[in-house]
Amino acid sequence: MQDTARLVLSLLDLTSLDDTDTDEDIQRLCRRANTKGGHPAAVCVLTHLVAQARTALANLDLQDTVRVATVVNFPEGDQSADEVVDQIRAALTSGADEIDLVFPYRALMSGDERLGYHLVSRCRQASSGHVLKVILETGELKSSELIRTAAEIALAAGADFLKTSTGKVAVNATPEAAAVMMETIRDSGRPVGFKAAGGIRTTEQAAVYLDLGREILGEQWLRPERFRFGASGLLDDLLQRLGSGVRPVDLRSRY
């Protein structure tokens, strides 16, 4: 299980998306990314805290190792395209590397397929040169048919990753939804990534998604450029499996 934990750690987007997050919380999150067992792929924070995350990682000498991701149209997925594009531009100006965009899933549930395509296309243009992950909110879509439709729309509009969930609804990542998303990626013939997010707290739970990835997409997908986990509590379990902890770096003099 140590090998699995080490792999999952390298695929992790270490996440904190609470409305109450402060600068100190983000500094703490970034310090958690500085582990003896390796580093996560990214930290994921709210848009107005991107600059703080970028500074904290630089002070840890992790600015070239750990990416900064943020969320837009979050968490409801119901903002206008102009509003979301403005959020993306602000995030990129602050130093974001990756954008996690909530798909307008309620519009799709009401029968509107055009809105999702329009929004993802606009956001693809606004985030050109940066990774765009599209959050389908599969626990709300529920049916395999709607999940597949949302995935196909996001792929057609230029998504780099398909992501399961915001982590803010009753049902988040499930293996069943993940399988539908991975099959849609496979059938597209494009090198699009997959991200499982919400409710994944143990190495064993993460391993279920790795096994699905191997079966549906292939071993070559299990790298940060193609496969991610979005979680916060998962890190503690990974480090316990690895017998590691956070590096004891005293940063008080740097802030």
Side-chain angles (χ1 to χ4, degrees):
M1 193 58 73
Q2 275 200 343
D3 288 344
T4 298
R6 191 170 292 106
L7 173 59
V8 173
L9 176 56
S10 74
L11 304 175
L12 181 62
D13 285 0
L14 184 60
T15 301
S16 186
L17 298 173
D18 294 328
D19 290 337
T20 57
D21 282 347
T22 64
D23 292 3
E24 184 178 343
D25 293 324
I26 299 311
Q27 291 171 20
R28 187 179 305 112
L29 180 77
C30 293
R31 289 197 293 270
R32 293 186 69 217
N34 192 32
T35 83
K36 299 175 184 177
H39 304 119
V43 295
C44 186
V45 302
L46 294 172
T47 304
H48 69 280
L49 293 168
V50 165
Q52 290 86 332
R54 174 63 64 197
T55 298
L57 291 172
N59 279 308
L60 290 159
D61 295 325
L62 294 178
Q63 69 272 20
D64 297 324
T65 305
V66 179
R67 299 170 72 82
V68 177
T70 192
V71 289
V72 296
N73 203 24
F74 184 87
E76 300 295 334
D78 57 3
Q79 295 175 312
S80 72
D82 287 343
E83 289 176 299
V84 181
V85 166
D86 285 346
Q87 292 171 17
I88 289 173
R89 288 172 177 161
L92 297 180
T93 298
S94 296
D97 300 300
E98 302 179 353
I99 302 295
D100 289 26
L101 162 71
V102 181
F103 188 85
Y105 60 92
R106 290 190 184 90
L108 179 62
M109 292 167 67
S110 68
D112 184 351
E113 297 185 6
R114 291 177 298 176
L115 182 62
Y117 182 85
H118 174 70
L119 178 65
V120 177
S121 296
R122 287 281 308 276
C123 294
R124 172 70 287 166
Q125 294 172 358
S127 60
S128 179
H130 298 79
V131 172
L132 178 66
K133 311 188 197 93
V134 179
I135 307 170
L136 303 186
E137 203 67 290
T138 55
E140 296 293 291
L141 293 175
K142 297 180 182 177
S143 75
S144 296
E145 292 77 12
L146 275 179
I147 293 169
R148 181 176 292 276
T149 298
E152 289 173 345
I153 292 169
L155 291 176
D160 295 310
F161 267 77
L162 298 181
K163 176 178 171 181
T164 58
S165 323
T166 61
K168 301 294 186 180
V169 295
V171 177
N172 292 288
T174 66
E176 293 77 15
V180 174
M181 294 167 66
M182 291 183 198
E183 288 165 0
T184 307
I185 291 169
R186 178 198 63 198
D187 295 345
S188 76
R190 291 181 50 218
V192 174
F194 168 80
K195 179 175 174 179
I200 302 168
R201 298 182 177 87
T202 68
T203 306
E204 288 86 356
Q205 289 172 333
V208 171
Y209 294 93
L210 292 178
D211 288 343
L212 276 174
R214 291 187 178 97
E215 178 183 347
I216 298 172
L217 296 170
E219 187 77 34
Q220 72 275 16
W221 239 262
L222 304 185
R223 52 194 176 93
E225 295 80 9
R226 295 285 178 267
F227 208 98
R228 299 282 183 90
F229 294 96
S232 53
L234 178 58
L235 180 63
D236 293 331
D237 187 74
L238 296 174
L239 295 180
Q240 183 177 5
R241 301 305 178 111
L242 293 170
S244 307
V246 173
R247 292 185 182 277
V249 179
D250 184 356
L251 299 176
R252 287 173 296 180
S253 62
R254 298 192 184 184
Y255 291 97

